[in-house]
Amino acid sequence: MLRADFPRPDPEYSAPRYEPLAPLGMNRRLVAAARADEREAPHEPFGPGGDPAVCPAPHSAAVIAALTEEQRRHVVRELQRRREGFLRRDREWWAVKALADVRCGWSPHEAAGLLRSAVSEFGHGQPARWGPDSEHCLHLPLAAVAELAPQDRGPTLPYLRRTLALCTDPHGTEPPAPDRERCARRLTDTLALPFPVDPLLPREDAYAAAVRCHLGPELYHPDVVELLRLCAGADGIRPDYAWLGSVREHLERSSVARDALRPLLLPYQGEEYACRAGRGLHSGVPGPIGGRLLGALAWAACLSGQPGTVDTLATALRRHSRLRSDELPPGSALFFRAGLAALDALAGEPGAGVHQRLLPDPGQALRGLARRQVNRLRQQPANWAPTALRYVIGDYTAQLTVDSDGTVSLGFRNAHGRALTGVPQRVRSRDPLRYAALRTRLTEVRAQVATHLGTLAERRIADPGTPAATWTAAYLDEPALQPLTRALIWQADTPRGPVLGLPVRRRRSTHWMLRDLTGAVHELTDDTPVRLWNPDRADADVVRAWREVLKRQRVRQPVRQIPE
């Protein structure tokens, strides 16, 4: 025969022996009411997943209604002592239903204490695990919170967020459970979250699973939820200026949002608490939703002004760049493109545009960090020649063209050799690593050409001469500098006398010569001095003749050698 002490222990659990509820009169009335409710119940109301809010308990409700608020709180505390760690060690379903339906007069700190004990493992203080009794163990603490006005719930919020994280399956590996869904809805309504995070972090997305497991309760902090809401509204690889301004203001106001950026960008480094499912579920690539979120977070990281967060962004980009060598999955590709664009803007790279203006002034140290990370990410593929101007990217061929006047441009041709307008979308979206390396190469060539233009301008004024072997190696065998060098008139001091001409070479030959006004070519030995011709001291007829040659051949010179 069951003991007549309240709360009555559940025979399925071996529980510590507690003293009976005092006073004994109240104890006996509660037990008698519970037995009366049991006799009138058509069946066992509380199997696994049963809703503790739906069973009728008229006899228990009558006894509870006669108690003072202080007595009701006393009964609840005695019940919750047996319900720590999400484990129900009693069978007082009807008293719980009756207590949850009446006011007990809880203070904010008392309600927080009830929640804290419910979500902590018995005797250890560690977070509990969700189980078949969890919703029953939370029913009275959540009823205590519901008594409080929203502005008075501050002490309970950390425990409400912890409870929501515990009742939410982060990996989506467990079958749907009505009790978990009811509890999650109840907690979400109590927290009054400004934005639903579940659609943004679908459980089938490996990245989303890692974020849920790593952030845990902090995922539901209002400032983190607001950050996610803003990121959900980002549009494209480069968000608009209004979005950048809103995110910047939010990060400046909230240290919690700033601190959340690093675990949101790279959640694979560990979890806040032990993960039952194991880290294997955290590996893989983000889906399209996760990729868009990561792309927006990349811009937020650069808006934060924190070196550690920028470094984490670069680490995350390198992690995704190693997933596949030729074609990144769409989610990773989107993140990679947005991340590089954000780092470009922070580093002050050419082409970043006015997006730089809305980034906080990073200072020299942070800008230098961003520039180093950009250069590290854009390392050329191993099979690319370091001085080449032509590269194959998938089905397309990229061509860096250096015009004779020093203009450098990037163009693409398809598999049939047809010139295309702009950058193919497939190159941008499916091969962002090689496209990033190509943009780096374009920057390098432009810098190389700019330096060469300065050198030519100096040689135009005074050129002591250079041995032909050194001149051809530095000025003509370098693909990026060859068009500029061939557009100028050079003077070679041959054994037969000075020779003026434009650099030429025969087809399939690697030997450079000079072609003069008559069309004759002149061989150059390795030690023949070559200098840039200065027409200021030349005969006017010779200058006029060379001007006509350049005009006829439509040569645009990189530096003005012959006046108009």
Side-chain angles (χ1 to χ4, degrees):
M1 183 174 178
L2 293 176
R3 290 169 45 190
D5 293 332
F6 184 93
R8 296 169 298 163
D10 192 320
E12 294 184 8
Y13 297 102
S14 58
R17 184 179 180 87
Y18 293 96
E19 291 296 324
L21 181 69
L24 290 179
M26 181 172 62
N27 187 320
R28 296 190 184 102
R29 289 194 300 274
L30 287 169
V31 171
R35 288 177 176 173
D37 288 328
E38 284 177 351
R39 286 193 299 269
E40 296 179 7
H43 53 78
E44 181 68 40
F46 295 120
D51 188 349
V54 298
C55 97
H59 300 283
S60 296
V63 173
I64 296 298
L67 301 180
T68 65
E69 290 186 354
E70 183 178 356
Q71 290 174 321
R72 295 170 190 169
R73 294 196 299 272
H74 176 57
V75 174
V76 170
R77 282 192 286 264
E78 288 299 314
L79 282 168
Q80 288 303 119
R81 286 177 61 197
R82 286 122 172 117
R83 295 182 169 211
E84 291 178 324
F86 280 177
L87 185 61
R88 177 184 53 79
R89 300 171 179 84
D90 64 80
R91 53 195 306 267
E92 300 298 347
W93 300 306
W94 290 271
V96 169
K97 169 67 166 63
L99 286 164
D101 290 345
V102 297
R103 179 174 178 79
C104 296
W106 296 102
S107 71
H109 290 285
E110 286 175 322
L114 289 178
L115 269 175
R116 182 176 60 249
S117 65
V119 300
S120 299
E121 286 186 0
F122 183 74
H124 300 287
Q126 298 298 316
R129 306 280 188 193
W130 189 268
D133 297 328
S134 299
E135 186 181 22
H136 296 276
C137 297
L138 288 169
H139 194 56
L140 288 175
L142 292 181
V145 175
E147 285 189 10
L148 305 174
Q151 65 270 21
D152 296 330
R153 295 175 183 173
T156 70
L157 294 179
Y159 304 107
L160 289 170
R161 292 194 285 267
R162 182 191 293 185
T163 307
L164 181 55
L166 288 171
C167 81
T168 305
D169 174 21
H171 305 102
T173 56
E174 300 180 17
D179 56 338
R180 297 183 85 148
E181 294 174 357
R182 283 193 302 268
C183 205
R185 287 195 299 269
R186 189 175 179 184
L187 286 161
T188 302
D189 293 341
T190 303
L191 285 168
L193 297 177
F195 182 80
V197 298
D198 287 342
L200 196 59
L201 295 172
R203 288 168 178 78
E204 62 273 13
D205 190 311
Y207 162 74
V211 166
R212 287 178 177 277
C213 198
H214 183 50
L215 274 181
E218 287 303 304
L219 175 62
Y220 303 105
H221 191 285
D223 290 351
V224 177
V225 174
E226 175 63 12
L227 176 62
L228 293 174
R229 185 193 70 80
L230 289 168
C231 289
D235 184 20
I237 302 302
R238 292 176 174 82
D240 61 40
Y241 308 134
W243 183 90
L244 290 170
S246 298
V247 173
R248 177 179 177 178
E249 290 177 2
H250 181 60
L251 292 174
E252 288 175 347
R253 288 194 303 264
S254 172
S255 61
V256 174
R258 293 195 300 272
D259 293 342
L261 283 172
R262 298 182 71 178
L264 281 168
L265 283 165
L266 197 64
Y268 312 95
Q269 292 179 330
E271 295 92 33
E272 184 175 332
Y273 46 86
C275 175
R276 281 184 299 175
R279 293 174 184 244
L281 289 169
H282 299 170
S283 61
V285 300
I289 295 178
R292 286 194 295 271
L293 175 61
L294 276 165
L297 288 168
W299 281 98
C302 292
L303 287 163
S304 71
Q306 296 179 315
T309 305
V310 174
D311 196 54
T312 299
L313 168 61
T315 302
L317 290 170
R318 287 195 296 274
R319 180 185 179 90
H320 286 266
S321 71
R322 294 195 299 267
L323 295 174
R324 291 177 63 180
S325 57
D326 295 330
E327 289 188 350
L328 289 170
S332 294
L334 195 155
F335 169 48
F336 207 93
R337 293 170 58 198
L340 282 178
L343 278 178
D344 280 350
L346 186 62
E349 290 287 306
V354 293
H355 278 76
Q356 296 180 46
R357 288 198 296 233
L358 281 176
L359 295 177
D361 183 9
Q364 188 174 1
L366 188 57
R367 190 179 295 279
L369 170 64
R371 189 171 292 117
R372 289 192 299 273
Q373 296 291 5
V374 167
N375 293 337
R376 185 177 177 185
L377 285 164
R378 290 180 173 177
Q379 290 177 349
Q380 292 186 18
N383 61 343
W384 282 16
T387 61
L389 300 178
R390 183 185 178 94
Y391 304 96
V392 176
I393 303 181
D395 297 331
Y396 302 92
T397 300
Q399 177 70 50
L400 293 170
T401 302
V402 181
D403 292 332
S404 61
D405 63 352
T407 303
V408 184
S409 59
L410 171 62
F412 287 86
R413 293 183 179 273
N414 62 16
H416 303 291
R418 184 170 64 87
L420 305 177
T421 302
V423 182
Q425 181 61 31
R426 186 175 178 84
V427 172
R428 289 180 180 271
S429 61
R430 301 306 299 270
D431 217 335
L433 270 177
R434 291 175 183 262
Y435 180 54
L438 187 62
R439 289 177 58 196
T440 298
R441 178 66 181 139
L442 175 62
T443 301
E444 292 173 351
V445 171
R446 284 174 172 164
Q448 185 182 16
V449 168
T451 300
H452 190 58
L453 287 172
T455 301
L456 292 175
E458 293 176 357
R459 297 189 71 157
R460 164 70 175 77
I461 299 172
D463 189 350
T466 305
T470 304
W471 173 70
T472 55
Y475 284 49
L476 291 167
D477 293 340
E478 185 70 31
L481 306 184
Q482 185 187 122
L484 284 71
T485 306
R486 295 188 64 178
L488 294 168
I489 304 165
W490 297 85
Q491 177 179 324
D493 297 332
T494 68
R496 297 182 180 181
V499 172
L500 298 180
L502 295 170
V504 294
R505 64 180 175 186
R506 294 189 177 93
R507 184 175 298 179
R508 300 187 183 90
S509 172
T510 59
H511 188 64
W512 289 95
M513 301 170 287
L514 292 181
R515 176 181 287 136
D516 63 19
L517 284 170
T518 65
V521 294
H522 301 265
E523 298 281 349
L524 303 175
T525 61
D526 288 348
D527 58 354
T528 300
V530 179
R531 60 177 55 86
L532 189 61
W533 179 53
N534 187 345
D536 294 344
R537 295 184 291 271
D539 183 80
D541 292 336
V542 175
V543 173
R544 189 179 306 109
W546 276 114
R547 184 185 298 115
E548 291 301 320
V549 169
L550 297 177
K551 183 177 180 180
R552 185 170 61 251
Q553 297 181 6
R554 297 182 179 179
V555 174
R556 292 181 299 171
Q557 293 192 303
V559 295
R560 182 173 293 183
Q561 187 178 30
I562 295 181
E564 297 292 337

